[in-house]
Amino acid sequence: MIVLHAAILIFVALAGTAVVLTRNPLSQVIGLTFYGLLLALMFFVFQAPDVAFSQIVVGAVALPLMVLLALAKIRNREVKQRMHHER
Amino acid sequence: MSFRWRKSLFVLSAAAFFAFYLWGLRGLPGLGHYPGPYGDIINAVVVSERHVTDAVTAVNFDYRGFDTLGEEFILFASVMGAMVLLRKSEDEEIDPPLDFAPDRVAPPMSDAVHLLGFLLAGPLLVFGLYTVTHGQLTPGGGFQGGVILASVPLMIYLSADYECFCRITSHTLAEVAEAAAAGGFALLGLIALLFGLPYLQNFLPLGETGNVASGGSIALISFLTGMEVAAGFVLLMMVFFSEAFVLRAIGEDKPEKKRKAR
């Protein structure tokens, strides 16, 4: 059990650091999703299934979705501005 | 502020933070050695006092139901905030979306994604309803079940298309459901006042431990929370989708093209 606890904590720490160190927002969202799933696994290992439930959906589905949609919107505008300048 | 100044400020505060952090860690109880009395008390009395087998749900919707009401309204307010910020105003300038690569055809959705989405949507709906209604017996409850329910239309969007997502969701219905559920939660507390009890006190018959109909108002609050959370998340999805997607659909529409031609 101790090994499992330590392993999941280390994985969460590594994934969190990786998310922070990623500079490209798109890859960062993918990393964040993975981090969210790991976090849910951690809650489960530490016997908090109630929290793990919501973490799976919020961390791995809802949050990445919002960020991805916002990124799509921003990118649309950026490309348009660039095209406007080139003209 | 120059870079060197900023760096030294960071190093200094990071060192101070780390020292305090280590000092704080020393005072932590060991893993699995819970020091406080509250958890033990709840664990000892929850089944006999509330006829509920999931202590977490009992704490959330009964012992600290008032806190949950506040949390519920945090979600309510943030969904409202997102909707107000992303609303379509009359004089808003809609820039028609651009197809970045008109010469390329978007690759069709893979059969695996199609199939998985359709296969998951049904069971997910049932599982969400189960989680909402069985919060007093097993892990889960209103919030958890609500977010699971909200992911069902998302599955349908993934396996079908945006049009299908629009067909199965209703903005008006989601709005009404969210408002009614949030208001219902607050109203339920007021009903307790009518009986001369404190606000949000559990006033319904507790039922038999282990039955779905147990826990008194816990089950009802859990259901209302599930409704509010599911509707809130669906609303959020709808406003975000309409920001990022509908504009593109309009661009392919005929009236929009006419305007471009002028």
Side-chain angles (χ1 to χ4, degrees):
Chain A
M1 212 55 191
I2 295 281
V3 179
L4 198 61
H5 283 164
I8 192 72
L9 281 175
I10 289 169
F11 276 131
V12 166
L14 286 179
T17 315
V19 171
V20 173
L21 292 182
T22 312
R23 297 323 295 182
N24 176 11
L26 194 62
S27 349
Q28 203 173 21
V29 178
I30 308 298
L32 188 68
T33 312
F34 185 67
Y35 171 71
L37 279 176
L38 274 178
L39 216 56
L41 202 64
M42 187 193 86
F43 290 142
F44 188 67
V45 168
F46 281 90
Q47 294 175 29
D50 289 81
V51 196
F53 255 144
S54 9
Q55 175 58 32
I56 289 174
V57 187
V58 173
V61 181
L63 180 67
L65 183 79
M66 301 291 147
V67 184
L68 273 181
L69 288 173
L71 280 179
K73 177 80 180 166
I74 294 168
R75 189 172 145 242
N76 196 357
R77 178 161 293 179
E78 270 175 0
V79 171
K80 216 169 290 170
Q81 273 171 354
R82 208 165 54 224
M83 287 172 125
H84 190 74
H85 279 299
E86 279 166 11
R87 232 184 284 160
Chain B
M1 217 188 286
S2 74
F3 180 71
R4 263 188 68 180
W5 222 93
R6 262 189 311 192
K7 202 170 152 191
S8 50
L9 192 68
F10 167 75
V11 170
L12 213 74
S13 43
F17 170 78
F18 196 66
F20 270 106
Y21 183 67
L22 283 183
W23 182 52
L25 280 185
R26 275 172 47 90
L28 277 182
L31 184 65
H33 295 275
Y34 174 69
Y38 300 112
D40 296 331
I41 294 173
I42 292 272
N43 276 340
V45 303
V46 71
V47 178
S48 58
E49 250 188 40
R50 295 291 190 259
H51 297 198
V52 159
T53 47
D54 184 16
V56 179
T57 307
V59 170
N60 276 340
F61 296 134
D62 191 333
Y63 291 114
R64 40 146 270 183
F66 191 61
D67 293 20
T68 308
L69 184 72
E71 289 168 3
E72 179 111 343
F73 275 91
I74 291 175
L75 181 74
F76 185 79
S78 43
V79 171
M80 286 304 113
M83 284 178 62
V84 166
L85 282 176
L86 296 176
R87 75 189 182 283
K88 301 272 179 294
S89 55
E90 285 294 310
D91 53 342
E92 187 178 320
E93 228 179 276
I94 301 174
D95 24 317
L98 287 172
D99 212 339
F100 300 134
D103 49 322
R104 264 185 291 166
V105 186
M109 175 91 65
S110 86
D111 290 342
V113 176
H114 260 302
L115 191 68
L116 198 67
F118 275 123
L119 283 182
L120 275 178
L124 224 72
L125 184 68
V126 176
F127 185 59
L129 288 173
Y130 163 81
T131 313
V132 170
T133 49
H134 288 66
Q136 62 276 26
L137 302 176
T138 47
F143 185 80
Q144 293 87 340
V147 277
I148 295 173
L149 281 177
S151 66
V152 173
L154 202 64
M155 277 301 146
I156 298 202
Y157 160 67
L158 279 180
S159 58
D161 54 6
Y162 182 57
E163 230 172 277
C164 196
F165 173 84
C166 289
R167 263 211 309 278
I168 60 153
T169 51
S170 153
H171 202 283
T172 323
L173 191 68
E175 263 185 40
V176 169
E178 202 205 2
F185 191 169
L187 219 67
L188 205 69
L190 288 178
I191 294 174
L193 291 183
L194 283 183
F195 291 107
L197 298 164
Y199 187 74
L200 269 178
Q201 177 90 349
N202 199 338
F203 62 88
L204 290 168
L206 290 174
E208 199 182 316
T209 311
N211 274 359
V212 177
S214 64
S217 60
I218 293 176
L220 198 56
I221 295 178
S222 173
F223 180 77
L224 287 172
T225 310
M227 193 160 126
E228 205 257 311
V229 171
F233 269 88
V234 167
L235 271 181
L236 263 189
M237 268 181 235
M238 290 180 89
V239 287
F240 268 80
F241 275 177
S242 71
E243 270 298 307
F245 291 160
V246 164
L247 294 180
R248 177 158 215 169
I250 289 172
E252 287 151 16
D253 229 0
K254 272 166 195 162
E256 201 57 37
K257 263 188 187 161
K258 261 188 217 157
R259 199 192 290 167
K260 246 193 232 170
R262 265 182 239 157

